[in-house]
Amino acid sequence: MKNNRLATIIEKIKEACASVLPIALIILFLSFTVCPLPNKTFIAFIIGTVLLTVGLGLFSLGAELSMSRIGGHIGANLTKSRNIPIIAIIALTVGILITISEPDLHVLAGYTGEQKMTFILAVAAGLGIFLVIAVMRIIFNVKFKYILIVGYGVILALSITAYIIDPTFLAIAYDAGGVTTGAMSVPFVMSIGAGIAAITSQNSDDDNSFGLMAVCSIGPIISILIMGLVGGFKDISYTPHAMPEFSNSQEMGLSFLSAAPSIIKDVLMGLLPIIAFFLIYQLFTVRVHKKELIQIFIGAGYTFVGMVLFLVGVNVGFMPVGSYLGETFANMSYSWIVIPVGIMIGFCMTYAEPAVGVLEKQVEDATSGIIPKKVLPMTMAIGVAVSAGIAMIRALTGVPILPFLVVGYVAAVALSFVCPSIFTSIAFDAGGVASGVMAATFLLPLSIGICSARGASPDEIMINAFGTIALVAMTPTISIQLVGLVYKAKLRHSEQLEAAADAEETSILEMPDPVDPAPQPVDDYDTEIIEFSAIAEKS
């Protein structure tokens, strides 16, 4: 049993390594060539990368053992009462609790300084409300594109208002929608959705199996925009991640240890309410078997340790290096080189995300193999590379983000009317897959470092550097729906060929049988010739 558990831990750490290693290798290459790092900072980066990788692996295992099971049990039992108000209250509660414990959200909220907890609670409330909407969509079998039209219509109206009144919090609002679809919330929320869909039996021939996280990600954007407009974030500003200063190895070790207490506190505040809620919930409804309950507690332990290691490694050894590289690039005479670097990082980020493999299988099953597996990651990678390049251009030039977001999401929603519904749902879910750990922990700090080197004020950094995660989350909504249109065209062509073959076969079957020609009369001259020939052959 212990050997199996150890093998599972090693496997999860290998998966995490596949996510982190490509970006780490790019950073190493840059540090050895155009952007040299101080030796002590370089060592801190290596330690931080190891902590991030191990932490992400343990966290992933813990989420699988605990959060996915908790979500599955809650989802499977949620609709048994058929009491809509009870379902709504429970969905709202678990949505808020699971969002508070999302590690990517803590990374983003860390930039908001004293507004950190207010920011986290606002994002959690938004996701909780839209989790209720997502659950109701499954129960009442509402088309996914209708939710998109209403949700993004509200976002567009609020965004234009915020851009006119105070654009400071506009970009970070969209980033909040991207980071909520992270390693904690995705398995938990998807398990709830799968449990409800299985009971309601409405996910067999429609798009209810997908799109749950896409609906949930709308809520945080709206909530942050509303909070900003009513004055909840008037004092929000960027808090920089300073490069750590070490005079010796002891100080380096202490810098990692000194970051741990506050992180442990935040992680406990996120995990304990979830566990407490589940224990109360299972006393009245779920009644989980003792053996499985022990597994859930063990998984919660892995989640806690993994999240602490992840956040310590990110805050001390990883993110400061991203900011430092951004500043170094911006101060070069050929600062434009950061654009192809960003494109390369964006491309690698997509292939590094483990959840892309899950989407590959979903698309292959949905299209019966007409769309090959390799098409999806390539399509996503190209889209994310483009968005990463746009993010670098924005950081260098200060181009506003709103036009990109408006054009992008209008195009994505418009495509939903001509694209097969299953691809629309997968496409909007894929935005959360693309905007994973690396977008929050490296690509965003890189943008911030560029803006800082340009002498931007904290408010200007909030406007021009943030939004990077939002751009990364937006492009898959377009690229995958374009793949859906290709599938639709291929399917139509295949149906036309089958119809033509069937018509040809039918026409052949319906042809009349051939009739033997009538015998021609034989005259006397012909008879003589035939008899003469016969005699000649015998002789």
Side-chain angles (χ1 to χ4, degrees), residues 440-515:
T441 59
F442 184 74
L443 201 58
L444 177 57
L446 188 66
S447 299
I448 291 172
I450 295 170
C451 288
S452 298
R454 290 176 49 240
S457 67
D459 285 349
E460 289 173 336
I461 291 175
M462 294 293 296
I463 294 171
N464 297 324
F466 288 83
T468 300
I469 300 172
L471 290 171
V472 170
M474 180 187 69
T475 47
T477 64
I478 299 173
S479 60
I480 292 181
Q481 287 190 93
L482 292 176
V483 172
L485 292 180
V486 173
Y487 161 73
K488 186 178 180 180
K490 285 188 174 183
L491 184 62
R492 184 184 293 114
H493 181 65
S494 177
E495 290 174 349
Q496 289 173 349
L497 291 177
E498 290 180 4
D502 291 341
E504 183 178 354
E505 184 179 353
T506 302
S507 64
I508 292 173
L509 292 175
E510 291 178 353
M511 289 180 60
D513 294 334
V515 180

Side-chain angles (χ1 to χ4, degrees), residues 313-501:
V314 162
N315 283 285
V316 180
F318 206 86
M319 293 176 70
V321 171
S323 296
Y324 177 82
L325 291 178
E327 293 177 6
T328 305
F329 276 120
N331 288 322
M332 291 179 176
S333 57
Y334 46 94
S335 58
W336 55 266
I337 196 175
V338 77
I339 299 174
V341 169
I343 291 173
M344 180 173 59
I345 291 172
F347 191 88
C348 294
M349 274 169 43
T350 306
Y351 279 98
E353 289 294 340
V356 172
V358 178
L359 279 177
E360 289 179 26
K361 184 67 168 60
Q362 289 174 338
V363 171
E364 188 178 38
D365 292 343
T367 64
S368 301
I370 294 179
I371 299 296
K373 287 176 64 176
K374 64 181 181 181
V375 170
L376 179 70
M378 177 61 71
T379 304
M380 288 181 62
I382 292 172
V384 172
V386 170
S387 61
I390 294 172
M392 298 301 104
I393 293 172
R394 288 188 60 246
L396 285 172
T397 63
V399 176
I401 191 174
L402 187 59
F404 293 104
L405 295 175
V406 170
V407 172
Y409 279 112
V410 167
V413 173
L415 284 170
S416 69
F417 288 91
V418 294
C419 179
S421 59
I422 186 69
F423 279 92
T424 299
S425 303
I426 292 174
F428 278 84
D429 277 348
V433 172
S435 56
V437 174
M438 290 298 103
T441 59
F442 184 74
L443 201 58
L444 177 57
L446 188 66
S447 299
I448 291 172
I450 295 170
C451 288
S452 298
R454 290 176 49 240
S457 67
D459 285 349
E460 289 173 336
I461 291 175
M462 294 293 296
I463 294 171
N464 297 324
F466 288 83
T468 300
I469 300 172
L471 290 171
V472 170
M474 180 187 69
T475 47
T477 64
I478 299 173
S479 60
I480 292 181
Q481 287 190 93
L482 292 176
V483 172
L485 292 180
V486 173
Y487 161 73
K488 186 178 180 180
K490 285 188 174 183
L491 184 62
R492 184 184 293 114
H493 181 65
S494 177
E495 290 174 349
Q496 289 173 349
L497 291 177
E498 290 180 4

Side-chain angles (χ1 to χ4, degrees), residues 124-357:
L127 188 137
I129 292 170
F130 270 77
L131 178 58
V132 174
I133 295 173
V135 168
M136 296 304 161
R137 182 188 79 85
I138 296 175
I139 293 175
F140 295 106
N141 199 23
V142 178
K143 290 290 184 181
F144 177 64
K145 63 183 177 182
Y146 298 153
I147 304 295
L148 289 182
I149 293 170
V150 175
Y152 281 99
V154 173
I155 288 174
L156 178 61
L158 291 172
S159 298
I160 294 173
T161 305
Y163 186 76
I164 295 171
I165 296 175
D166 182 7
T168 304
F169 53 86
L170 177 61
I172 199 172
Y174 281 88
D175 283 345
V179 297
T180 50
T181 52
M184 178 71 84
S185 58
V186 168
F188 191 91
V189 174
M190 292 300 289
S191 297
I192 290 179
I196 296 173
I199 290 178
T200 56
S201 301
Q202 292 179 348
N203 65 329
S204 57
D205 55 2
D206 201 1
D207 58 3
N208 287 340
S209 300
F210 307 99
L212 194 74
M213 290 308 306
V215 175
C216 290
S217 65
I218 294 174
I221 302 175
I222 293 177
S223 64
I224 297 301
L225 288 173
I226 292 175
M227 284 290 290
L229 289 172
V230 300
F233 294 126
K234 286 298 182 184
D235 297 327
I236 192 170
S237 62
Y238 158 68
T239 302
H241 285 269
M243 280 292 291
E245 296 290 339
F246 313 118
S247 60
N248 53 54
S249 58
Q250 184 182 38
E251 290 184 4
M252 181 185 299
L254 289 174
S255 67
F256 283 96
L257 292 176
S258 62
S262 62
I263 290 174
I264 290 173
K265 179 182 176 182
D266 289 343
V267 173
L268 286 175
M269 288 178 62
L271 285 179
L272 289 180
I274 299 173
I275 302 300
F277 175 82
F278 178 68
L279 290 176
I280 296 172
Y281 190 78
Q282 77 101 25
L283 288 176
F284 296 98
T285 55
V286 180
R287 299 290 181 181
V288 177
H289 191 271
K290 182 179 178 181
K291 184 177 180 180
E292 186 176 3
L293 193 61
I294 293 173
Q295 289 292 320
I296 289 174
F297 278 114
I298 293 174
Y302 284 131
T303 303
F304 170 76
V305 174
M307 193 170 176
V308 170
L309 292 177
F310 170 84
L311 291 174
V312 169
V314 162
N315 283 285
V316 180
F318 206 86
M319 293 176 70
V321 171
S323 296
Y324 177 82
L325 291 178
E327 293 177 6
T328 305
F329 276 120
N331 288 322
M332 291 179 176
S333 57
Y334 46 94
S335 58
W336 55 266
I337 196 175
V338 77
I339 299 174
V341 169
I343 291 173
M344 180 173 59
I345 291 172
F347 191 88
C348 294
M349 274 169 43
T350 306
Y351 279 98
E353 289 294 340
V356 172

Side-chain angles (χ1 to χ4, degrees), residues 25-148:
L25 291 177
I26 292 173
I27 297 173
L28 290 177
F29 174 77
L30 293 174
S31 67
F32 290 145
T33 53
V34 294
C35 294
L37 294 173
N39 288 336
K40 294 166 185 175
T41 303
F42 179 81
I43 295 172
F45 165 73
I46 298 297
I47 296 173
T49 302
V50 172
L51 291 176
L52 188 153
T53 304
V54 175
L56 190 60
L58 292 176
F59 178 86
S60 177
L61 175 60
E64 186 178 294
L65 290 176
S66 58
M67 298 305 145
S68 293
R69 292 186 179 186
I70 293 174
H73 283 300
I74 292 176
N77 287 272
L78 202 56
T79 56
K80 286 185 177 179
S81 66
R82 304 294 177 181
N83 189 322
I84 297 301
I86 295 297
I87 294 173
I89 291 171
I90 293 174
L92 176 65
T93 304
V94 298
I96 291 173
L97 293 179
I98 201 66
T99 306
I100 292 173
S101 62
E102 179 60 53
D104 288 356
L105 176 59
H106 282 262
V107 172
L108 182 64
Y111 288 109
T112 62
E114 296 180 358
Q115 298 279 339
K116 179 178 179 179
M117 189 49 64
T118 304
F119 184 84
I120 290 175
L121 292 176
V123 170
L127 188 137
I129 292 170
F130 270 77
L131 178 58
V132 174
I133 295 173
V135 168
M136 296 304 161
R137 182 188 79 85
I138 296 175
I139 293 175
F140 295 106
N141 199 23
V142 178
K143 290 290 184 181
F144 177 64
K145 63 183 177 182
Y146 298 153
I147 304 295
L148 289 182

Side-chain angles (χ1 to χ4, degrees), residues 520-530:
Q520 300 293 325
V522 181
D523 53 20
D524 295 339
Y525 177 77
D526 292 333
T527 303
E528 291 176 0
I529 294 297
I530 294 171

